Amino acid sequence: MDAMLFFGALGALYLMLLFFDNFFKSCMHYPYMEFLKKTGITVHFMHLRWHTIAFNRTMLRCGNNGNSRNLLIKFFTVGVLFALSLLPIGLILLIFAIFSGNNDSKAGDVVGSGGGSQTVTVEILLPGVNLPLEEIGFYVTTLLLSTIVHELGHALAAVAEDVQVLGFGLHLYFCLPMAYTEVSNEQLNALKWFKKLRILCGGIWHNFLFAGICYLLFSTLGLMTAPLYTLNKNVMVTEVLHNSPLRTKGGVGLSAGNIITHINNCEVRNEDTWFNCLAKSLRIKPGYCVSSDFIRLNDESIEISHHGPDGMLQCCDDKNANLCCFEYVDDLSNDAPVEIPQHVCLDVRRTIDESYDYCVAGNCDRGFCIRPLLRNTTTILNIKRTTMEHKKLPDVNYMGHPADVTRSVRISSFVPKQKYVGSYWGDAYSLFLKYNVVFSFGLALVNAIPCFGFDGYHITSTIINSFLVNRVTERPKRDVISLIVTSIGTLLFSLAVLKVLWLSVLQKLF
């Protein structure tokens, strides 16, 4: 779904909920208020809140079991040590995110730099990770799951330390979900410092473990999806846009369901190699090994070669788009006399079909190596494809910029083994695991930072008040030290957020 359409529909839904909320409060006050009380739902402007105590007994049963309590205490003790080790890492990453340049590039950026429509991305605090805005549905889902896992960590640690859990809830600020666990503050503050840290660090520890589990599942995608998909062998075309120059015309173009095996002499195994092969075709113009007989019979060179308006050598008639000027690439190790002219004009498709191999520096076993004379933004793509039943299809030849392919052709690394299985589910599962790793690990890092509103603020305050109690006896002075440390962390986090907003939104507006 388009991001703007998603935001517009969500905003309209909020306004409709607010309207009916005010309407029922005025016309059906008592039954509606009873409904809100029983369900725990509260409606505000662009904000929904849900609170429940339905899971309190389940949490209490976990804490009353002696064996499980001992295991939980040991489990969250390890979590404290890990969360404290994340604090300097989070600060270093914040500083790096603030002062590093925006120079990260990928092969997909190279082949997509030819102009045209651009994908709106969201820069996040993890360096090198950008999020396409059209995948907003995945962000909301994974963020909701990550926050639930985070709050579950706090709840389990609280019941292990005999701290009463008062309830659970969820805030939905427009499309940003935030879960929370409500515990007894009096009982929490009455605990010794390390027991308190177990509860405060429980969410960070849970997020890290959840990210590790999702990463393990992502690393074993080939094994997990083996019954339904073939992974990392080829890619499948899932969609060819209507304006694509590679769209099916007379059965010779790309179409959904085609299996791509090679681009020129570059093997395509997954999405990464797909983009790398397209980028390689632009950096290294391919040469073709053809026979001298083919050249003599098909050469359509004009009588006088000349330079075009852009300085390119022309040996073909400009009116025929199927022709291209090829340059003979001499093999320095071959002393035999040259049988063909330096430049020849040939039909591109016929030349590719008649060539028996690719060449770089004239190293053909037989015949001659000829290389097309093309502009820097143009290359020749020979796309080899098969059907899902591994039956070979005619090659697709295209002369242009690789960005035309990346913009108008959608591919998937998940090649279904059966026709009734779509590649969408494999892509969605893979993307879901990726975002769970990024969001859950990012939530653990962010919460470890000493910043107001995060777990790091309470962790820092607890540590400072516990370790400095003998050196700084007055509580207000310790609070000032805690305030200074937290203010520095908050400042760094705010600067990082401002940079994110600038790179993602404001820079594009101005």
Side-chain angles (χ1 to χ4, degrees), residues 358-421:
Y358 292 91
C359 55
V360 178
N363 52 347
C364 290
D365 295 335
R366 64 181 187 276
F368 298 92
C369 178
I370 56 174
R371 183 171 55 201
L373 293 177
L374 302 170
R375 298 176 178 85
N376 291 333
T377 58
T378 305
T379 187
I380 294 177
L381 300 176
N382 174 238
I383 303 175
K384 294 179 172 58
R385 56 184 181 147
T386 66
T387 64
M388 291 179 60
E389 294 79 16
H390 306 290
K391 295 180 180 179
K392 184 174 174 54
L393 293 172
D395 296 348
V396 175
N397 298 316
Y398 174 68
M399 185 166 62
H401 197 286
D404 298 334
V405 182
T406 60
R407 285 197 301 264
S408 61
V409 178
R410 305 288 182 263
I411 56 101
S412 170
S413 298
F414 292 87
V415 179
K417 293 184 177 180
Q418 303 294 335
K419 287 185 176 181
Y420 59 82
V421 179

Side-chain angles (χ1 to χ4, degrees), residues 443-508:
L443 200 60
L445 278 176
V446 168
N447 272 281
I449 298 169
C451 177
F452 291 110
F454 295 150
D455 292 339
Y457 163 65
H458 302 286
I459 294 171
T460 303
S461 178
T462 301
I463 293 174
I464 289 176
N465 280 288
S466 300
F467 282 87
L468 297 182
V469 66
N470 294 327
R471 296 185 179 182
V472 183
T473 57
E474 298 180 18
R475 178 62 183 262
K477 292 183 179 179
R478 296 198 300 271
D479 290 339
V480 170
I481 296 174
S482 176
L483 178 64
I484 293 173
V485 174
T486 308
S487 298
I488 294 173
T490 304
L491 176 63
L492 291 175
F493 181 76
S494 301
L495 291 175
V497 170
L498 288 175
K499 183 178 180 181
V500 167
L501 292 175
W502 170 253
L503 293 176
S504 302
V505 181
L506 299 179
Q507 190 178 36
K508 295 177 175 61

Side-chain angles (χ1 to χ4, degrees), residues 229-303:
Y229 298 100
T230 300
L231 189 63
N232 291 328
K233 288 189 177 180
N234 297 124
V235 300
M236 186 179 78
V237 177
T238 58
E239 183 185 7
V240 182
L241 302 184
H242 291 286
N243 60 346
S244 174
L246 289 91
R247 191 171 175 83
T248 299
K249 296 177 181 178
V252 297
L254 286 180
S255 60
N258 289 169
I259 309 300
I260 308 299
T261 61
H262 292 78
I263 296 178
N264 296 333
N265 60 339
C266 181
E267 185 179 5
V268 179
R269 298 184 303 275
N270 48 43
E271 289 188 27
D272 290 336
T273 55
W274 162 265
F275 288 113
N276 289 335
C277 289
L278 289 173
K280 180 182 177 182
S281 69
L282 193 60
R283 295 193 308 269
I284 304 174
K285 301 294 192 299
Y288 305 94
C289 294
V290 295
S291 65
S292 58
D293 291 339
F294 171 78
I295 295 175
R296 282 194 296 268
L297 294 174
N298 295 277
D299 185 12
E300 300 184 36
S301 301
I302 56 179
E303 294 183 2

